[in-house]
Amino acid sequence: AYAVSPMPLVVDLDGTLIHTDLLHESALELLKVKPWLLFLLPFWLFNGKTTLKSKLASAIDFPVTSLPFNSELIAYIDQQRNLRRKIILCTASHKILAKSVSDHLGIFDEV
């Protein structure tokens, strides 16, 4: 039998769990659903990247089901979950979006 690792598996969101970046995807979604807010992007960014991410996350209802997920990584996470390893989603993306991704997949113990 294999030993279960006491170390949690920490999974990065942007570029790892998904084959893209949530900041870019959020800006594209804003363009699609609320294009009149695009002129605010430079002002939001002027106040910092954190403000930009927060404003984008609040302005849209992001369709996480449309994200290009890394299916090989998800299969590995499932294997690790079966070994009772704690799985943590780690990201600099806004917590609203990260929680949506986590809720959609249902494979993370923490975000």
Side-chain angles (χ1 to χ4, degrees):
Y2 296 98
V4 175
S5 175
M7 297 286 289
L9 175 62
V10 181
V11 179
D12 181 44
L13 179 57
D14 296 314
T16 306
L17 179 64
I18 60 173
H19 297 293
T20 187
D21 185 286
L22 273 182
L23 177 57
H24 301 140
E25 294 293 328
S26 297
L28 290 172
E29 184 66 16
L30 184 74
L31 173 64
K32 210 162 59 172
V33 298
K34 296 184 180 176
W36 59 91
L37 292 179
L38 281 178
F39 79 93
L40 293 174
L41 287 177
F43 299 102
W44 294 345
L45 183 56
F46 180 77
N47 289 310
K49 209 171 184 180
T50 303
T51 299
L52 173 63
K53 291 177 181 183
S54 178
K55 295 288 189 180
L56 281 169
S58 298
I60 58 172
D61 185 20
F62 192 83
V64 295
T65 57
S66 68
L67 289 171
F69 289 100
N70 181 338
S71 57
E72 291 177 16
L73 178 59
I74 292 172
Y76 177 74
I77 292 169
D78 284 337
Q79 290 173 348
Q80 295 302 302
R81 283 184 58 78
N82 289 336
L83 296 173
R84 299 179 210 236
R85 191 167 179 191
K86 186 175 186 175
I87 313 295
I88 300 170
L89 179 60
C90 181
T91 184
S93 292
H94 194 273
K95 61 187 172 191
I96 291 172
L97 299 179
K99 180 86 170 76
S100 293
V101 168
S102 177
D103 290 348
H104 170 66
L105 293 175
I107 58 176
F108 296 100
D109 299 303
E110 286 182 37
V111 178

